[in-house]
Amino acid sequence: MDYESCPRENQKSTTKPLPMFTHCGSSLPAESRPLYRALGKLSARHGPMLMLRLGARRVFLVSSPEVVEECLTTNDLTFANRPRLLAGKHLGLDYTTINWSSHNDNWRSLRRVVSHELLSSCQVRTLSTIRAEVVHHLVKNVMYPRVVRDGMMEMKSVLFEVVLNVVMMTIAGRRCDVEGGEAGRFMELVQELFIVMGATHVSDYLPWWKWVGGKHLEKEMVALNEKWHALMQDLIEEQRRKTVVEAEGGSSDEKNNLIEFLLMSQQKEPENHSDEVIKGLLQVLISAGSNTSSVTMEWMLSLLLNNPEALKKVQTEIDNCVGEDRLVNESDLTNLPYLRCIINETMRIYPAAPLLLHESGKDCMVGGYHIPSGTMLLMNVWAIQNDPKNWEDPEKFKPERFLGLKGTGNGYNYKLMPFGIGRRRCPGENLGMRMIGLTMATLIQCFEWERPTNEMIDMTAGVGLIAPKAKPLVAKCQSRGMMAKLLSQM
């Protein structure tokens, strides 16, 4: 597959071709995976703007904060669409879910529901008691752990479960049934979903391939979609039964969760709130909401175990701010600047979404180059956040680099974009930062954490749209002596 420099508007069309790039996505050799790292090497060698010719599709690969800024400010509306890939067709309800929809009335309607009914600043603050309840439940689970051996715990599922329960409490009004295996089923489906969406499928770039060797992939996507929709339909029917019982008991019309709100909206506007639309929205909220935060926390704890001086420093910060008589709460997070630095540094080195996908809706100019309509914009967030041109010693874990700085995203001149950027920026940033901050602060306050052995934690990255650790984190923990009295009362 060829790649070439983008022709400037005032240049002749006879541009000098660059060398061949013959591997992409799932066909990349093992040593080149994950894809974002392979593309990062390509950009480091040939420049921050490359026009790739991947089969029948043009892909504009960007790894410069200045170019990202131009794409998503000057040309924000132009690049507001998503590319039409197989995953969007089969797992995005034919490109109608909020993450796969083009920038149209359907997307704006879904965005309003998410931004105003679920993730508004007021709603996020209102549900702080739910998050505290779930995190306290986590502390009890860690105190009486599912022991591997010698007090060691596999943290991937533990962290996923706590975030999933926050999401489930918000959208369905209840926690997952852990004993019944519900949390495990969700985790399995979420992991499969992001692996499928994160792979680069040949049929997306060579349409005829599906008739040669790609039909099995589409069948797998259809089967996965059916599993998701069966699970989402169960949640909808559960809420319908609950609503009937509450109505018979004379309960009020107050909306207690998102599904209840959506079903009430369905009665008023059935064409805009069908079961299919609701299932698609729930799938995105559960999968994206639970996986991004849990993956970030697993990376964060891994970094702290490999850097015990930073772990001790943030533990001291929490002790000085909160004391020994109560657990940390969300209102304390603004007084824990070093904790925020660690979160930012984790998201810089290991962004949960290392590649951002957009598509141009019309011809435009970027950096003096002509970008045709229908070009896929591929922004390599990982490359930007790990580029020595943007960050001093980017390979080193240095939370102190963020001291005195606030927020994420635009405040760092497009050098830090863990939640994306522009009008399709993740609407869950506020909730995600609160969830990560509260969960990690509580675990650090209540427990002593150590590596299972003297060896450093393996920081190899896995594959998928959301970048997980290749090997799930196993850590050794025990209750902190100074917190023993408080923990014994839980």
Side-chain angles (χ1 to χ4, degrees):
M1 299 180 188
D2 295 323
Y3 60 90
E4 56 189 29
S5 57
C6 308
R8 289 187 183 274
E9 192 70 13
N10 59 358
Q11 285 182 336
K12 295 181 180 180
S13 60
T14 56
T15 57
K16 181 180 179 180
L18 294 175
M20 295 287 288
F21 179 45
T22 57
H23 295 287
C24 183
S26 58
S27 63
L28 281 169
E31 65 271 18
S32 296
R33 294 186 181 183
L35 177 60
Y36 57 88
R37 292 179 183 259
L39 294 176
K41 292 179 181 179
L42 193 68
S43 296
R45 189 180 307 125
H46 297 289
M49 288 190 294
L50 293 174
M51 184 68 80
L52 309 180
R53 173 66 73 173
L54 304 184
R57 192 184 292 272
R58 286 192 191 92
V59 179
F60 182 35
L61 176 62
V62 172
S63 59
S64 159
E66 293 79 15
V67 181
V68 169
E69 181 176 6
E70 186 173 353
C71 289
L72 298 185
T73 53
T74 306
N75 296 296
D76 187 24
L77 187 57
T78 299
F79 285 110
N81 290 335
R82 295 291 196 207
R84 295 209 156 197
L85 304 178
L86 280 176
K89 177 181 179 180
H90 295 296
L91 298 170
L93 292 179
D94 200 18
Y95 315 105
T96 60
T97 57
I98 189 171
N99 56 335
W100 285 109
S101 175
S102 294
H103 186 261
N104 52 27
D105 289 341
N106 171 68
W107 178 82
R108 282 186 283 270
S109 174
L110 293 172
R111 181 81 177 199
R112 278 195 297 271
V113 171
V114 173
S115 299
H116 297 158
E117 292 297 328
L118 180 66
L119 297 173
S120 68
S121 296
C122 179
Q123 185 72 353
V124 169
R125 287 194 301 271
T126 300
L127 297 175
S128 62
T129 54
I130 288 178
R131 293 189 291 277
E133 176 187 336
V134 172
V135 172
H136 291 178
H137 185 74
L138 168 66
V139 171
K140 294 178 183 178
N141 281 344
V142 177
M143 286 173 61
Y144 307 102
R146 287 159 272 187
V147 177
V148 179
R149 61 179 182 274
D150 299 329
M152 285 187 257
M153 292 188 66
E154 185 274 300
M155 297 304 299
K156 184 183 184 73
S157 58
V158 172
L159 295 172
F160 179 88
E161 184 182 308
V162 69
V163 184
L164 175 63
N165 276 328
V166 168
V167 175
M168 284 290 290
M169 288 285 286
T170 304
I171 69 172
R174 67 169 178 83
R175 285 199 295 262
C176 274
D177 179 10
V178 177
E179 298 300 327
E182 186 180 29
R185 288 196 298 274
F186 271 117
M187 186 172 181
E188 180 181 334
L189 286 177
V190 167
Q191 290 178 341
E192 186 177 354
L193 179 70
F194 281 107
I195 289 174
V196 169
M197 291 199 300
T200 305
H201 308 295
V202 176
S203 299
D204 284 324
Y205 305 94
L206 299 173
W208 52 265
W209 179 256
K210 67 180 179 180
W211 305 111
V212 178
K215 278 200 167 185
H216 71 283
L217 173 63
E218 292 198 64
K219 290 180 180 179
E220 289 176 5
M221 288 185 177
V222 171
L224 176 59
N225 186 59
E226 290 174 352
K227 292 178 186 177
W228 265 105
H229 280 239
L231 207 53
M232 298 303 97
Q233 190 67 51
D234 287 345
L235 291 178
I236 293 173
E237 296 304 329
E238 177 184 303
Q239 181 59 53
R240 284 196 172 114
R241 291 191 295 271
K242 181 180 176 183
T243 301
V244 170
V245 171
E246 290 176 347
E248 292 175 349
S251 299
S252 68
D253 293 331
E254 181 182 355
K255 305 184 295 292
N256 296 312
N257 59 65
L258 181 66
I259 299 178
E260 188 171 3
F261 165 79
L262 293 172
L263 290 179
M264 291 179 67
S265 300
Q266 187 182 75
Q267 297 175 0
K268 301 174 185 177
E269 300 178 280
E271 67 283 356
N272 294 327
H273 295 85
S274 66
D275 276 12
E276 289 301 300
V277 171
I278 295 175
K279 284 187 287 186
L281 184 58
L282 296 181
Q283 175 186 320
V284 173
L285 293 173
I286 291 174
S287 59
S290 57
N291 208 35
T292 51
S293 294
S294 61
V295 163
T296 297
M297 288 192 288
E298 189 180 9
W299 281 117
M300 180 175 168
L301 185 54
S302 300
L303 284 166
L304 289 174
L305 290 174
N306 282 346
N307 296 271
E309 69 287 347
L311 176 57
K312 185 62 179 178
K313 185 173 180 179
V314 70
Q315 204 167 50
T316 300
E317 179 183 68
I318 295 170
D319 292 343
N320 292 338
C321 175
V322 180
E324 305 173 18
D325 300 326
R326 64 178 179 87
L327 292 181
V328 64
N329 56 52
E330 282 190 9
S331 63
D332 296 313
L333 297 181
T334 55
N335 299 318
L336 300 172
Y338 192 65
L339 175 70
R340 180 64 176 248
C341 290
I342 292 174
I343 296 172
N344 279 341
E345 180 71 340
T346 300
M347 294 190 298
R348 182 192 68 79
I349 303 174
Y350 300 103
L355 293 172
L356 300 179
L357 291 175
H358 292 242
E359 186 172 271
S360 60
K362 61 181 181 180
D363 288 14
C364 66
M365 295 288 293
V366 177
Y369 293 100
H370 174 248
I371 308 300
S373 175
T375 299
M376 181 194 296
L377 171 63
L378 187 60
M379 292 173 284
N380 195 333
V381 173
W382 176 85
I384 291 171
Q385 296 183 176
N386 287 272
D387 190 337
K389 296 177 183 177
N390 303 323
W391 302 92
E392 182 181 353
D393 297 326
E395 74 286 353
K396 293 184 179 180
F397 177 67
K398 295 172 61 175
E400 291 77 10
R401 72 174 84 235
F402 289 101
L403 285 173
L405 300 176
K406 297 180 179 180
T408 57
N410 301 39
Y412 298 102
N413 298 318
Y414 297 85
K415 296 177 183 178
L416 184 71
M417 302 177 290
F419 295 95
I421 213 76
R423 68 182 62 219
R424 299 202 73 143
R425 183 187 185 114
C426 175
E429 177 177 354
N430 186 17
L431 176 61
M433 291 300 292
R434 286 171 179 259
M435 192 68 239
I436 294 170
L438 179 63
T439 303
M440 295 307 297
T442 304
L443 291 177
I444 293 168
Q445 178 193 25
C446 294
F447 302 100
E448 298 287 1
W449 296 91
E450 297 178 2
R451 298 191 297 267
T453 67
N454 290 330
E455 295 183 7
M456 301 291 276
I457 299 295
D458 187 343
M459 302 300 283
T460 304
V463 297
L465 185 64
I466 302 299
K469 289 178 88 285
K471 296 182 179 179
L473 173 64
V474 175
K476 182 185 291 188
C477 71
Q478 60 181 1
S479 301
R480 294 182 70 199
M482 61 184 294
M483 299 294 295
K485 180 179 179 180
L486 180 62
L487 295 177
S488 67
Q489 298 171 355
M490 297 186 66

